[in-house]
Amino acid sequence: MALISSSIPDAASLLNQNEIVAIHTETVYGLAGNAFSAIALKKIFELKQRPFYNPLIVHIKSVDDLKLIAAEIPKKAQVLADTFWPGPLTLVLKKQANIPDLVTAGKDTVAIRVPNHPVALSLLKQLNFPLAAPSANPFGSISPTKASHVANYFSTSSLTVLEGGECRSGIESTIIGFENESAVLYRLGSVTIEEIEAVIGPLKINTHSEEAPTAPGMLSRHYAPKTQTILTTNISEMLSLFKTKRIGLLTFRDRHDDQNIVTQKVLSTNGNLAEAATHLYDALHQLDQLQLDVIIAEKFPKHGLGRSINDRLERATKK
Ligand code: TXA
Ligand code: MG
């Protein structure tokens, strides 16, 4: 059985022994291990059942440590780090030679971020190595935003979960890479395109290079509930289409009346996208446990965090 703990020293001691600890970050929980230990890195891939071609994010304690991991830091990358770290932005940069191939899937670039939560930061400060950590879910399933989500996923393992409450941002970090000095968006996430463009100007968008840069398209289904999930701009139409079914409804701000709705999750009654993002995955986890026939999800506004939420819902609905 997984163990939920709030002891940072215990977590540090496990990590020092090449063990894996699930840690709270502001985005989602991560399955963390010593980024320089082949033993720890292998355990992460094994536990997550993640293919080795999908690289990990290295979590560091401060902007100052960036130069220990990245060999080249384009000017715009430094500006982004100075502006958004600690925070939910990941930078993909040329790696230092000593970063293990297991972390980067053999690529010459490495993904790096400074998490913005006192639990993760104080843990990192007690360690003399950075932490490689993917989201703490089995490969392809919904990311965990509560310690209990992680404990449920890994109930048959002796994994320790370093508790920090519900993750505030609620969706993963935004990932930015650099191609010939220009910034490219690889994954939509908790920092919005608008926020990034306000700092460094127009971004190229290439979200296909995320997830499986060497196997395009293979992983388009991701962040996925087991229950069939449908994304729509027309809730009423879908409710009548599925009227003989047990329906779970996921909406932005409005409630709907329909006798087939078994459960309804409204993510933010006052229409706040940040609040909706915080609760998105927990709502999906809960709906997915109700043995429903279908989850009908509402498409979000196409700006700010609405775009990131739509990205996750689209991946959740792909077959
Ligand atoms: O918010 C987050 O980013 C969370 C928390 C725990 O920090 N982590 C997370 O990790 O979402 P993960 O492994 O689930 O997603 C990381 C993504 C993967 O899709 C991977 O393909 C991409 O980052 N990535 C990692 N290294 C890369 C690289 N060198 N080039 C391109 N993409 C990379
Ligand atoms: Mg993930």
Side-chain angles (χ1 to χ4, degrees), residues 150-200:
V150 186
N152 288 342
Y153 275 141
F154 300 102
S155 58
T156 58
S157 104
S158 56
L159 179 70
T160 295
V161 186
L162 180 58
E163 155 81 288
E166 184 171 18
C167 299
R168 194 176 57 242
S169 298
I171 46 180
E172 296 82 351
S173 60
T174 303
I175 303 182
I176 303 275
F178 291 85
E179 291 167 15
N180 309 320
E181 293 270 320
S182 45
V184 183
L185 179 87
Y186 291 154
R187 177 174 75 182
L188 288 154
S190 286
V191 178
T192 64
I193 293 178
E194 292 90 332
E195 287 170 318
I196 293 167
E197 291 189 331
V199 178
I200 57 162

Side-chain angles (χ1 to χ4, degrees), residues 6-314:
S6 52
S7 167
I8 294 174
D10 285 358
S13 145
L14 286 164
L15 290 161
N16 277 316
Q17 297 165 61
N18 292 321
E19 292 298 335
I20 304 309
V21 176
I23 62 165
H24 178 101
T25 84
E26 83 280 30
T27 56
V28 301
Y29 278 78
L31 274 185
N34 180 346
F36 288 112
S37 156
I39 301 173
L41 294 167
K42 281 184 188 147
K43 285 182 186 167
I44 294 175
F45 282 93
E46 227 164 79
L47 194 58
K48 194 176 158 83
Q49 295 174 297
R50 178 169 175 137
F52 286 113
Y53 61 72
N54 202 353
L56 306 176
I57 296 175
V58 174
H59 297 72
I60 55 176
K61 65 179 184 303
S62 66
V63 178
D64 280 350
D65 283 1
L66 176 57
K67 56 185 180 301
L68 304 176
I69 312 294
E72 285 171 29
I73 307 171
K75 213 165 146 203
K76 284 182 179 171
Q78 189 66 50
V79 171
L80 289 173
D82 291 336
T83 309
F84 293 105
W85 285 356
L89 179 77
T90 294
L91 297 174
V92 173
L93 302 174
K94 283 269 175 318
K95 75 175 189 110
Q96 287 285 4
N98 63 343
I99 306 299
D101 279 343
L102 271 171
V103 169
T104 62
K107 291 153 68 74
D108 65 351
T109 55
V110 58
I112 313 158
R113 83 178 188 99
V114 181
N116 185 18
H117 191 276
V119 167
L121 284 172
S122 111
L123 176 64
L124 282 166
K125 284 176 189 152
Q126 289 184 28
L127 299 168
N128 56 13
F129 47 80
L131 289 173
S135 51
N137 50 286
F139 188 61
S141 50
I142 309 163
S143 295
T145 51
K146 289 181 169 174
S148 60
H149 299 157
V150 186
N152 288 342
Y153 275 141
F154 300 102
S155 58
T156 58
S157 104
S158 56
L159 179 70
T160 295
V161 186
L162 180 58
E163 155 81 288
E166 184 171 18
C167 299
R168 194 176 57 242
S169 298
I171 46 180
E172 296 82 351
S173 60
T174 303
I175 303 182
I176 303 275
F178 291 85
E179 291 167 15
N180 309 320
E181 293 270 320
S182 45
V184 183
L185 179 87
Y186 291 154
R187 177 174 75 182
L188 288 154
S190 286
V191 178
T192 64
I193 293 178
E194 292 90 332
E195 287 170 318
I196 293 167
E197 291 189 331
V199 178
I200 57 162
L203 262 181
K204 213 170 108 187
I205 300 186
N206 184 7
T207 49
H208 297 296
S209 19
E210 200 257 332
E211 303 303 346
T214 53
M218 267 185 71
L219 301 178
S220 52
R221 180 175 161 87
H222 212 93
Y223 313 103
K226 293 187 196 77
T227 315
Q228 182 193 6
T229 303
I230 282 165
L231 183 60
T232 180
T233 49
N234 192 337
I235 298 280
S236 315
E237 184 184 63
M238 286 299 146
L239 287 173
S240 53
L241 199 66
F242 285 93
K243 65 170 175 280
T244 58
K245 305 281 189 188
R246 285 166 46 82
I247 297 171
L249 193 64
L250 181 69
T251 61
F252 181 21
R253 62 172 109 194
D254 301 322
R255 293 195 74 79
H256 290 255
D257 278 328
D258 191 288
Q259 58 182 20
N260 297 312
I261 300 174
V262 176
T263 304
Q264 193 164 166
K265 300 277 177 206
V266 181
L267 292 178
S268 174
T269 44
N270 55 9
N272 179 327
L273 288 168
E275 184 187 23
T278 304
H279 302 306
L280 174 70
Y281 288 155
D282 186 44
L284 284 170
H285 277 279
Q286 290 188 37
L287 290 170
D288 204 23
Q289 280 171 4
L290 296 175
Q291 264 83 45
L292 300 163
D293 295 318
V294 63
I295 297 170
I296 298 176
E298 178 178 39
K299 204 152 189 164
F300 274 66
K302 294 189 184 100
H303 59 84
L305 285 171
R307 279 181 80 165
S308 307
I309 294 172
N310 284 336
D311 172 79
R312 300 306 190 268
L313 288 171
E314 275 156 18

